Amino acid sequence: MLKQYDSMKAKHPDAMLLFRSGDFYMIYRDDAVKASKILDLSLTQKTKGIDMISFPHHALDTYLPKLIRAGERVAICDQLEMPRKEKVELSKTTKAEVSDNAKDLRDNLASKIVETVGKNNHHALVLPLADKALNAETTRGENTELAKMQVLRGRVTFIDSEDNKLQLRDLKANTIQQLTDTLPSIAKAYLESIKSKEAVSHPTTQSTVAQAATTEQQQKFIDDIKAAMGSSKMVVLPDFGTKKGVVAGTDEDKGISLNRVYAWNDNVSFAGSVPGDDASKRRYYHPENIRPEFYDYLISEVKRAVAPQLITENGQKVTSANMFESPKQEGKYFFYARLDGVGLHPKAVKEADVEAFMKQEISVKDMFAKYYPTKMAKQLSKEDFDNTKLSDGRELTTFRVYKQRNEDKPHFGEYLLYAEMGDKRFHATPLTHDQLDMYFDRTQSKGQLAEKVIGEQLHLKSAYEKYKLPENIPTPEVRIRKVPEGAWLISANVGNKGQTAEKKLSNNDLYSLFKSKTATKEQLGAKYLMEDIKELSQSHSVSRSQGLKR
């Protein structure tokens, strides 16, 4: 086999050779090394010293485009004769050797057939040919008689008298030309005979039995659904009710409740359930499964589902905004919405907002602004977003957000912010969900985000403004002292309530207090001693004499 491979490779040295062997395509030597990187397939060595990769023949449509997009010229070597028991040299050919004229003939035949009978996206049209005595010559040099022609989704195939399936590429050019001259008229006559039979069997009286949709009705339904969905590949139908009498799939599937519609290639499908189904069970239905009298209703439901409940300042459409109860925890609710067809991460709703939303005291816009604030805010331009200037006029020289992927380091799996200013480096700090939203939605500049995340490391005055002593407690006296060991301790005296325990100040805060003077004693007291001050203020007063009693 390697000799045959090398022989074919010599004929096409500038092309990557895909060599068919049974149900697999094989690639050897330098081609294998190159293809393994492009296709992300592992190299093996079936023969020592010879690299190879392989993939199933039915995966050709997946891997071939990847090779072409990578700039490779590809020659495909297909097997034309099955090996016999006696020693026969296996004949091979390549697609590269097939003339452009043969492809043009195939395309011309297919287009004329489709023009006559339609694409038939849902059910294959089967044209009987057994009585037409149409002989065909295959590319293997065999003669056969065609029994049927099938057309499905614009693809034309044949079944011969021995029940073998034939593609257009299996037929010789002269056979394709003969079929182009005869088949369109045969197909047209066949369709006309079917229509005349239907007219006789259903003269003028209207049938009381529900009729299936015609191919034209189904195609129009698909086009209307896809037009309503726009660029969305999936639309949720949260309020779609059970319509008694809907028949889908079988006569037993009645009362279907559809909850999703999917757009794929040139078709659409629906997911749903019927009464009695398990909660996790999902049934799928296609246009031909649904009676045509429900088409308009479904189109209107899809239009209603994709209609924006509000439009953000950035022009993004918010749909499916609603609240649902957690299936795992009774009484816990989440707010959920889709933005331009993409589902957002559900947000836990505060108890007060749950009741207000149910009573319609809070609008969808208010809920969205509260739980997805960065989605509502104006998105910065790239230039403004990349601005690393701080509020005190300094500017960061490095700003980076990354995900910690090293399992051996702290904060594994979290997003961290790392920054530099000149020769100073600032510790990587985890970002909260809100800060991540600001970053990915570009509602704050990089400099503003750094102030929120590492403002204290940067000794910014704005970073300490959030620390305030409680207003309902008499202002305590904040004391800072240095102990012989060199550490600085902070405590507060709350009048006759006593004194808090001492806490050690960080080097960052000491620098902000004494060097940059961007933090006050009171702000540091609020940062370190807030809980102790509140707890002490609620205790009984302590008299000086109490300390002398035993």
Side-chain angles (χ1 to χ4, degrees), residues 425-464:
R425 298 180 179 181
F426 301 96
H427 299 299
T429 307
L431 278 73
T432 65
H433 286 297
D434 291 340
Q435 291 165 349
L436 274 175
D437 288 341
M438 293 175 190
Y439 177 76
F440 288 116
D441 293 330
R442 300 197 328 194
T443 58
Q444 299 275 302
S445 70
K446 292 179 178 179
Q448 291 171 326
L449 187 60
E451 290 202 23
K452 293 180 184 297
V453 181
I454 57 172
E456 293 177 26
Q457 294 183 50
L458 293 163
H459 311 298
L460 291 167
K461 186 176 182 180
S462 62
Y464 291 94

Side-chain angles (χ1 to χ4, degrees), residues 197-430:
K197 289 178 182 177
E198 288 179 349
V200 172
S201 60
H202 304 286
T204 55
T205 58
Q206 186 176 358
S207 173
T208 57
V209 179
Q211 297 296 314
T214 64
T215 301
E216 290 76 14
Q217 285 177 310
Q218 292 175 31
Q219 189 60 55
K220 184 178 185 305
F221 174 61
I222 291 169
D223 294 340
D224 290 344
I225 289 288
K226 294 187 74 173
M229 292 176 67
S231 59
S232 300
K233 297 298 181 185
M234 190 272 286
V235 171
V236 178
L237 305 172
D239 299 323
F240 190 95
T242 299
K243 296 291 289 183
K244 187 176 180 180
V246 177
V247 177
T250 69
D251 290 341
E252 295 163 359
D253 277 0
K254 296 183 179 180
I256 295 169
S257 181
L258 300 177
N259 48 50
R260 280 175 172 79
V261 56
Y262 300 90
W264 46 279
N265 297 333
D266 57 352
N267 211 335
V268 297
S269 59
F270 294 84
S273 59
V274 298
D277 276 351
D278 182 80
S280 61
K281 184 173 183 179
R282 185 173 293 175
R283 300 171 186 249
Y284 291 92
Y285 304 94
H286 301 285
E288 67 268 24
N289 303 132
I290 300 172
R291 293 216 309 262
E293 61 261 35
F294 293 100
Y295 279 5
D296 289 341
Y297 176 71
L298 280 169
I299 293 168
S300 66
E301 284 294 312
V302 172
K303 287 180 178 178
R304 188 166 71 88
V306 299
Q309 292 175 269
L310 67 105
I311 298 177
T312 69
E313 194 172 347
N314 300 307
Q316 295 174 297
K317 298 176 181 179
V318 178
T319 59
S320 305
N322 215 327
M323 190 166 59
F324 64 92
E325 187 175 11
S326 169
K328 298 180 180 179
Q329 187 176 345
E330 187 178 352
K332 186 172 184 178
Y333 286 82
F334 291 88
F335 184 70
Y336 168 82
R338 299 183 72 83
L339 189 65
D340 283 347
V342 178
L344 302 178
H345 187 75
K347 300 279 187 175
V349 181
K350 295 179 180 178
E351 189 175 342
D353 291 337
V354 172
E355 187 176 353
F357 186 74
M358 289 181 173
K359 292 180 178 179
Q360 297 185 339
E361 295 172 356
I362 298 180
S363 67
V364 168
K365 184 177 181 180
D366 295 333
M367 290 286 287
F368 197 84
K370 186 170 185 177
Y371 291 98
Y372 298 106
T374 59
K375 305 296 183 185
M376 290 290 286
K378 181 68 176 177
Q379 193 177 69
L380 298 178
S381 66
K382 188 178 186 307
E383 182 180 359
D384 291 339
F385 174 68
D386 289 334
N387 184 3
T388 56
K389 188 170 287 188
L390 305 173
S391 58
D392 63 356
R394 293 180 295 166
E395 191 167 353
L396 298 172
T397 52
T398 299
F399 177 98
R400 186 161 65 96
V401 171
Y402 67 97
K403 190 173 185 179
Q404 180 57 270
R405 301 186 185 279
N406 190 335
E407 296 184 15
D408 299 328
K409 292 193 175 183
H411 308 297
F412 169 68
E414 296 183 69
Y415 281 92
L416 307 178
L417 184 148
Y418 172 78
E420 293 179 7
M421 184 182 289
D423 58 351
K424 292 183 180 179
R425 298 180 179 181
F426 301 96
H427 299 299
T429 307

Side-chain angles (χ1 to χ4, degrees), residues 39-85:
L39 304 179
D40 195 22
L41 296 175
S42 300
L43 282 170
T44 58
Q45 288 193 351
K46 191 172 182 180
T47 302
K48 188 175 180 180
I50 299 177
D51 293 317
M52 64 165 281
I53 63 171
S54 64
F55 57 82
H57 70 92
H58 56 74
L60 181 64
D61 291 341
T62 300
Y63 291 126
L64 182 58
K66 291 184 179 181
L67 295 173
I68 300 301
R69 284 196 295 269
E72 296 295 331
R73 185 171 181 269
V74 181
I76 302 175
C77 187
D78 272 334
Q79 184 172 307
L80 294 185
E81 291 183 6
M82 295 301 292
R84 301 170 186 169
K85 289 184 179 180

Side-chain angles (χ1 to χ4, degrees), residues 20 25 55 77 120 130 172 203 213 248 289 292 310 360 482 492 522:
R20 177 74 175 268
Y25 279 105
F55 57 82
C77 187
N120 298 290
K172 277 198 171 182
N289 303 132
L310 67 105
Q360 297 185 339
K482 186 178 182 181
E522 289 72 27

